[in-house]
Amino acid sequence: QVQLVESGGGLVQTGDSLRLSCVVSGRTLTMLTSGWFRQAPGKEREFVAAVNWGGPSNTFYADPVKGRFTIPRDNAKNTVYLQMNSLKPEDTAVYYCVAKPGIWSTELRKYDYWGQGTQVTVSS
């Protein structure tokens, strides 16, 4: 099955940048979409961003992170990233790397594969 290994979380200050990494293995990546969800304390998990693996990159972002976050990919390393800039305390959450066959979706239940999560804490 697909395995997702996340890293890069930590404690930062408001306005800082942080890059999360997710190494994807277990099947042909060109058939997959990868993305990120997050869950803040006391809130439901929410969609953050997604990117396809096959062909040129097509990226999709939730409104709260547009203009601040990007989701680069490195096909040679089988790695997808979440580059987070201008971080705010509202971004504090556990971030999960996810994957699914086919096209992207904002629906949590559409994603078959999940990482263990990595904690991002932004102090004010």
Side-chain angles (χ1 to χ4, degrees), residues 1-120:
Q1 65 177 44
V2 173
Q3 184 180 48
L4 309 175
V5 181
E6 299 158 294
S7 62
L11 174 63
V12 297
Q13 296 182 348
T14 297
D16 284 354
S17 295
L18 195 65
R19 189 180 73 170
L20 307 182
S21 300
C22 177
V23 179
V24 184
S25 63
R27 63 180 292 174
T28 303
L29 299 186
T30 54
M31 305 301 296
L32 297 178
T33 290
S34 287
W36 297 88
F37 280 74
R38 68 184 183 184
Q39 186 168 26
K43 296 185 178 181
E44 300 292 328
R45 290 187 188 183
E46 63 178 2
F47 172 78
V48 177
V51 65
N52 63 299
W53 279 105
S57 292
N58 293 296
T59 57
F60 310 91
Y61 301 97
D63 287 341
V65 307
K66 286 180 179 177
R68 299 189 298 120
F69 292 9
T70 60
I71 182 169
R73 74 182 195 203
D74 187 333
N75 291 64
K77 297 182 178 180
N78 292 352
T79 301
V80 62
Y81 305 91
L82 186 66
Q83 178 64 50
M84 302 182 289
N85 301 317
S86 301
L87 282 163
K88 307 174 181 179
E90 302 94 280
D91 297 316
T92 295
V94 177
Y95 284 74
Y96 297 90
C97 183
V98 301
K100 66 181 294 295
I103 64 173
W104 74 286
S105 174
T106 62
E107 298 182 48
L108 184 151
R109 63 186 177 88
K110 293 287 189 178
Y111 288 85
D112 298 310
Y113 307 107
W114 290 75
Q116 292 298 113
T118 185
Q119 176 72 47
V120 174

